[in-house]
Every structure is written in structure tokens, then in C-alpha cells.
Amino acid sequence: MRQAKVIGRVFCSRQCCGMEQKTLLLIQPLDWETDKPSGEPLVAGDTVGSGAGETVFFVASREAIVAFEGWEGETAVGTPLPPVDAAIVGIIDGKSIPGHGLN
Amino acid sequence: MFIAKVIGNVWATRKHPGLKNATLLLVKALDSRNKFVGEAALALDGGQGAGPGDTVLVLDEGGSARKILKNPGAPVRTVIAGIVDRVHLGE
């Protein structure tokens, strides 16, 4: 899982099946150790109600859909699964990296 | 799977239900000469109680990750599968 900063939100009036009730957030992946941007911003489905400016962690590929499977939270169970390839699954409260550069 | 060192940990109260009471550890891959390679990644402790400083075996595939965690709903791909005691190189 990678760290990212929520930098915006994406609204689509017409979108693919299953993505209607899902919050789509624009996130900038960050390096875990340096907190510097790493890679291009991407759009991820949100499962924990994160807001702009928050530092989150997200999963990619198949696991992003698993994050929406059978989950009662914001979206009703039984709605079609969103075809997403990135999903935010947690908001970071804090981290400690004692092993930084330990080698 | 790849060999990595646990370099730290992350705590997050608001997280996906599938990650409830999971221990979040930051791991960084090691090459065969024990040097760091690539970027750190967040992995889940697989129940072996690994902590910062340990050299661990990290699994990076969803199906097996959910098997280790015994939780079919866990949206996770990176799980620590074991704590490495020793690596013997053939040469």
C-alpha cells in the first residue's frame, strides 16, 4: 500500500456502472520516507470518508475492488461493484520510521 | 515474495473494516547483498509479530494475502509471511 495526499475530488455526471454513489478523489502518491511526491496523481475510490488535504494510504489493482465488496458503509451492499483500480483504505494518524536509512 | 526490512510502522484509526486491528508496518525491499532497493511500502503483519528492525518475508499477492490474514474481505496485497533468520547465498 502506498501513501498519498488527497489533492482534489472528481465529479462525473455520466460514468460507468457502479460508480454512481462512489466518492472519487484525486490523490498524489507520496514516498513513505521522504513524503515527497512520487509518480503522477491518480483518481481513487474512497472507502473511509477522507477529505482534501488529508494523508491517506491506498491499495491498487484487484484489491481496490475488494475494498468495495460487501461493505455496508457509505454504499449499500448489493450495488454493482465499481470498476476502480485504486481505493483509499485508511487515513494516516501518524507514522514512525526508526529504520530510516538503517543499512 | 521478497525479502525486506521493517523500517517503521503506521497507525490509522479510520480505516477500511477489512483492516480492523491490523498492524501496519513499513517495509523496504533488500537485495541479495542486504542493500535497500526501491521505495518503502506498507504491509500488514501476518501474525508473526514482526517489528521495526526485523528482516521479513513479504508476500505481494492478494489471494494469498487474504489466506494468511484469514479474512476474505481484506483489501490487502502486501502481507508479512514470515521473519527471516538467515539467508545463505550459494557462492
Side-chain angles (χ1 to χ4, degrees):
Chain A
M1 289 184 280
R2 296 182 65 196
Q3 179 181 236
K5 194 173 190 58
V6 177
I7 54 175
R9 185 166 173 176
V10 176
F11 297 91
C12 311
S13 55
R14 286 216 312 270
Q15 57 203 328
C16 179
C17 48
M19 289 173 68
E20 296 77 19
Q21 298 124 342
K22 308 300 182 299
T23 312
L24 297 176
L25 295 176
L26 188 64
I27 59 173
Q28 166 58 58
L30 303 174
D31 179 286
W32 276 105
E33 292 175 273
T34 61
D35 288 343
K36 290 210 169 42
S38 141
E40 292 306 315
L42 56 109
V43 179
D46 177 38
T47 70
V48 284
S50 34
E54 285 190 312
T55 308
V56 296
F57 57 93
F58 68 98
V59 286
S61 70
R62 172 76 178 84
E63 274 49 58
I65 298 182
V66 172
F68 285 95
E69 263 166 13
W71 177 66
E72 297 73 23
E74 195 189 272
T75 54
V77 176
T79 56
L81 292 180
V84 288
D85 64 358
I88 294 168
V89 288
I91 298 171
I92 296 172
D93 292 338
K95 63 183 177 184
S96 106
I97 311 184
H100 187 58
L102 203 69
N103 207 328
Chain B
M1 291 192 278
F2 60 90
I3 296 176
K5 190 179 271 283
V6 179
I7 60 169
N9 56 343
V10 168
W11 48 94
T13 38
R14 267 224 333 259
K15 48 182 185 276
H16 188 276
L19 296 177
K20 217 180 311 124
N21 47 50
T23 309
L24 305 172
L25 297 169
L26 278 173
V27 295
K28 200 167 183 180
L30 291 169
D31 66 12
S32 55
R33 285 176 308 282
N34 217 19
K35 287 279 175 283
F36 282 130
V37 169
E39 229 179 82
L42 188 64
L44 256 66
D45 173 36
Q48 303 84 14
D54 288 340
T55 302
V56 290
L57 205 56
V58 181
L59 185 99
D60 202 16
E61 190 276 322
S64 329
R66 282 183 280 285
K67 247 195 216 73
I68 289 182
L69 298 169
K70 301 186 189 63
N71 176 357
V76 169
R77 209 179 60 198
T78 322
V79 172
I80 290 177
I83 299 180
V84 175
D85 295 327
R86 201 163 45 87
V87 175
H88 173 67
L89 287 180
E91 76 251 315

